[in-house]
């Protein structure tokens, strides 16, 4: 094998016998590539996560809302959440029924609340003021309210969504007003939800916050939904052997906690989880091409066609995506020692850096690179900054066939909205 680095994707048979270069030839570079078998595996892990029949897993569509991927997720028996009319549209396109969609939104107009009430099983609002709006938009409807449990977690302060420093959720002290507003509009308070933040690898904060939500839920009657949000992390440092979140023991802890609480409180409703990243991240990667290699001062720059417009996570959060290096068979792989290299994109900003000084085998012009674990919050956050169209998305099926699941945006598409 001539590849300087491909052990991880080989170990999980990500390409199902195909070569990454072939995919780029067929669909162009850069390219998002997804693996259906991996997506199904993660759905099944989450679905079977808690040995409790009244658990429902709602995939959080914000992680990746490609309807073809959503369709696979639906076929595994998961439900879905949405937080915008666009996500509702994608969910409906994938075949999710109204009853299978939870609308968990933040700071929206009344028209959107009315649309969400019509097109989803239940809407969660996250302020008293939005509860008022919902009461006017859908009087008499069922509603969930998002509470701030005061305990947050996440890989970066920008994605911690509970605790003191966040715009999310209703303060538990305001619960009396929740009852008052619901009574005034004839709303039935059918659920409580929360979300501590995105990407925890240790379960303590999630469990503490879950206990807190249950404690608060004990003060309500008639609840049908208790939704603990998402945040389940994945190991991004594949080549450093980062450990996985121990999902089985977390599942057992949740089963004990939820099951015990349900018995004690005679609760016959659903427990909901909303994982996004855990389902989608490892099922996708971004392939791109090295267009130049150069030295500037002490730094060796590996220049690629993967700008932060198409993979914003490193620029936004300093996030780490592991790298594989492919070189067409027949050319010798360099046996040289690893050296620190900066991997950069093609966008006009100095911050357009995927890795600053990652020690890797020497990368050459023409090499194909993969940024791993790019199935969640990558394409869904991509833009056409610098007027660079967004890439295509391709799906590798379990039988090794490939399906184009989103066409590459063209430069002409950039004119679509210009009158
Ligand atoms: N539920 C709610 C209410 C959420 O706000 C989120 C994520 C989730 C569920 C799913 O969280 P997950 O299981 O995927 O961690 N762009 C950031 C992540 C932002 C997460 C936003 N909310 C990133 O790239 O790391």
């Amino acid at each position: 094998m001539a590849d300087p680095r491909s052990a991880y994707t080989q170990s999980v048979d990500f390409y199902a016998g195909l070569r990454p270069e072939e995919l780029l030839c067929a669909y162009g570079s850069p390219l998002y590539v997804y693996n259906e078998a991996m997506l199904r595996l993660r759905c099944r892990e989450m679905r079977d996560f808690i040995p409790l029949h009244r658990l429902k897993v709602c995939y959080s569509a914000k992680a990746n809302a490609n309807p073809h991927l959503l369709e696979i997720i639906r076929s595994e028996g998961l439900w879905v959440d949405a937080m915008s009319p666009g996500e509702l549209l994608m969910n409906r396109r994938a075949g999710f029924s109204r009853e299978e969609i939870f609308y968990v939104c933040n700071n929206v107009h009344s028209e959107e609340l009315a649309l969400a009430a019509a097109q989803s099983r239940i809407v969660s609002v996250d302020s008293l003021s939005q509860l008022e709006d919902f009461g006017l938009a859908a009087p008499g409807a069922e509603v969930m309210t998002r509470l701030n449990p005061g305990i947050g977690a996440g890989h970066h302060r920008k994605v911690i969504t509970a605790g003191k420093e966040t715009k999310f959720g209703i303060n538990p002290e305001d619960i009396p007003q929740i009852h008052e507003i619901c009574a005034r509009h004839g709303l039935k308070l059918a659920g409580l939800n929360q979300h501590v933040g995105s990407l925890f690898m240790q379960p303590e904060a999630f469990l503490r916050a879950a206990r807190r939500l249950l404690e608060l839920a004990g003060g309500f009657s008639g609840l049908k939904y208790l939704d603990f949000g998402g945040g389940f992390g994945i190991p991004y440092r594949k080549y450093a052997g980062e450990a996985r979140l121990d999902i089985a023991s977390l599942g057992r802890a949740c089963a004990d906690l939820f099951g015990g609480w349900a018995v004690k409180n005679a609760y016959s409703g659903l427990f909901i989880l909303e994982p996004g990243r855990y389902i989608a991240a490892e099922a996708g990667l971004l392939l791109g091409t090295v267009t130049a290699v150069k030295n500037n001062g002490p730094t060796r720059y590996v220049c690629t066609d993967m700008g932060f417009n198409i993979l914003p996570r490193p620029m936004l959060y300093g996030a780490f995506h592991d790298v594989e290096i492919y070189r067409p068979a027949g050319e010798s792989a360099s046996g040289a020692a690893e050296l620190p290299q900066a991997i950069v994109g093609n966008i006009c900003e100095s911050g357009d850096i995927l890795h600053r000084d990652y020690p890797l085998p020497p990368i050459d012009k023409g090499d194909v690179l993969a940024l791993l674990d790019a199935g969640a919050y990558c394409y869904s956050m991509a833009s056409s900054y610098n007027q660079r169209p967004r890439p295509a998305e391709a799906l590798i099926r379990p039988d090794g066939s490939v399906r184009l699941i989103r066409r590459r945006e063209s430069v002409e598409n950039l004119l679509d909205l210009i009158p």
Side-chain angles (χ1 to χ4, degrees):
M1 169 54 74
D3 291 335
R5 207 176 202 240
S6 58
Y8 170 72
T9 45
Q10 279 179 45
S11 72
V12 297
D13 195 22
F14 192 94
Y15 296 107
L18 301 160
R19 287 287 303 166
E21 304 85 351
E22 290 168 16
L23 292 166
L24 291 189
C25 271
Y27 301 108
S29 178
L31 175 72
Y32 274 99
V33 183
Y34 301 95
N35 179 292
E36 179 175 335
M38 180 69 88
L39 185 62
R40 288 189 184 279
L41 175 72
R42 297 297 178 234
C43 288
R44 287 172 196 171
E45 279 178 14
M46 263 292 152
R47 195 189 57 202
D48 303 335
F49 167 61
I50 302 184
L52 201 64
H53 72 276
R54 48 172 97 96
L55 173 79
K56 199 68 211 179
V57 179
C58 283
Y59 167 68
S60 194
K62 57 185 76 60
N64 190 319
N66 185 304
H68 294 278
L69 302 181
L70 290 170
E71 233 177 276
I72 295 170
I73 292 167
R74 186 176 69 87
S75 75
E76 289 295 334
L78 274 61
W79 288 354
V80 73
D81 78 7
M83 71 96 56
S84 68
E87 286 184 3
L88 267 180
L89 182 70
M90 295 298 173
N91 292 344
R92 297 304 289 264
R93 171 72 178 259
F96 284 102
S97 70
R98 175 181 185 273
E99 290 304 299
E100 294 168 332
I101 302 174
F102 278 61
Y103 202 78
V104 182
C105 59
N106 180 240
N107 308 338
V108 306
H109 293 289
S110 299
E111 298 74 34
E112 184 173 327
L113 291 172
L115 175 85
Q119 296 201 2
S120 63
R121 184 184 185 104
I122 192 160
V123 177
S124 157
V125 293
D126 94 338
S127 63
L128 296 174
S129 136
Q130 293 260 279
L131 188 57
E132 287 278 5
D133 293 345
F134 188 77
L136 294 170
E142 290 193 335
V143 69
M144 300 216 294
T145 54
R146 176 167 176 171
L147 298 179
N148 180 347
I151 301 156
H155 69 86
H156 190 280
R157 65 180 167 75
K158 290 179 186 165
V159 298
I160 296 175
T161 50
K164 286 204 170 58
E165 287 171 31
T166 173
K167 65 172 178 161
F168 294 101
I170 300 176
N171 240 323
E173 291 91 82
D174 293 340
I175 287 174
Q177 279 123 286
I178 295 180
H179 289 300
E180 190 269 307
I181 297 168
C182 285
R184 196 147 33 78
H185 295 285
L187 295 172
K188 297 179 211 56
L189 186 72
L192 300 176
N193 66 304
Q194 68 183 21
H195 172 67
V196 290
S198 198
L199 202 159
F200 60 83
M201 297 303 280
Q202 304 298 331
E204 287 73 26
F206 178 83
L207 286 171
R208 257 190 307 128
R211 271 185 222 105
R212 176 78 180 125
L213 187 68
L214 292 174
E215 204 176 282
L216 295 168
F220 291 79
S221 59
L223 294 178
K224 292 158 70 175
Y225 310 109
L226 287 172
D227 177 348
F228 301 88
F232 306 89
I234 61 117
Y236 280 97
R237 293 178 187 265
K238 295 282 188 275
Y239 277 84
E242 186 182 356
R244 297 194 71 79
L245 174 66
D246 185 352
I247 199 98
S249 72
L250 176 54
R252 284 192 299 275
C254 288
D256 289 349
L257 181 64
F258 299 174
W261 187 89
V263 171
K264 197 165 144 226
N265 292 273
Y267 176 73
S268 56
L270 292 176
F271 295 105
I272 315 279
L273 297 175
E274 285 170 10
R277 185 190 315 271
Y278 194 86
I279 303 286
E282 291 169 293
L285 52 76
L286 175 62
L287 282 182
T289 309
V290 179
T291 49
V293 175
K294 68 183 199 182
N295 291 307
N296 242 357
T299 306
R300 175 180 162 89
Y301 283 96
V302 173
C303 311
T304 76
D305 54 7
M306 297 179 284
F308 78 83
N309 60 318
I310 60 168
L311 189 86
R313 298 191 72 255
M315 169 93 160
L316 270 177
Y317 316 115
F320 183 97
H321 287 264
D322 229 322
V323 177
E324 291 203 343
I325 309 163
Y326 315 119
R327 198 162 288 161
E331 287 177 33
S332 68
S334 166
E338 292 183 347
L339 68 153
Q341 295 168 85
I343 303 179
V344 298
N346 52 4
I347 294 297
C348 235
E349 293 198 27
S350 293
D352 183 24
I353 294 177
L354 294 164
H355 282 282
R356 221 164 259 286
D357 52 6
Y358 193 15
L360 288 166
I363 300 171
D364 293 341
K365 182 172 176 171
D367 283 352
V368 169
L369 301 186
L371 271 288
L372 301 182
D373 302 323
Y377 303 112
C378 291
Y379 191 95
S380 64
M381 296 202 299
S383 77
S384 51
Y385 181 45
N386 277 189
Q387 303 313 301
R388 291 200 173 278
R390 289 174 296 174
E393 296 183 292
L395 174 70
I396 302 176
R397 317 287 292 275
D399 64 3
S401 63
V402 183
R403 181 169 180 202
L404 184 67
I405 58 168
R406 191 190 306 259
R407 289 191 297 276
R408 180 173 302 283
E409 212 170 23
S410 68
V411 280
E412 290 74 27
N413 291 149
L414 300 177
L415 287 173
D416 283 349
L417 300 176
I418 309 291

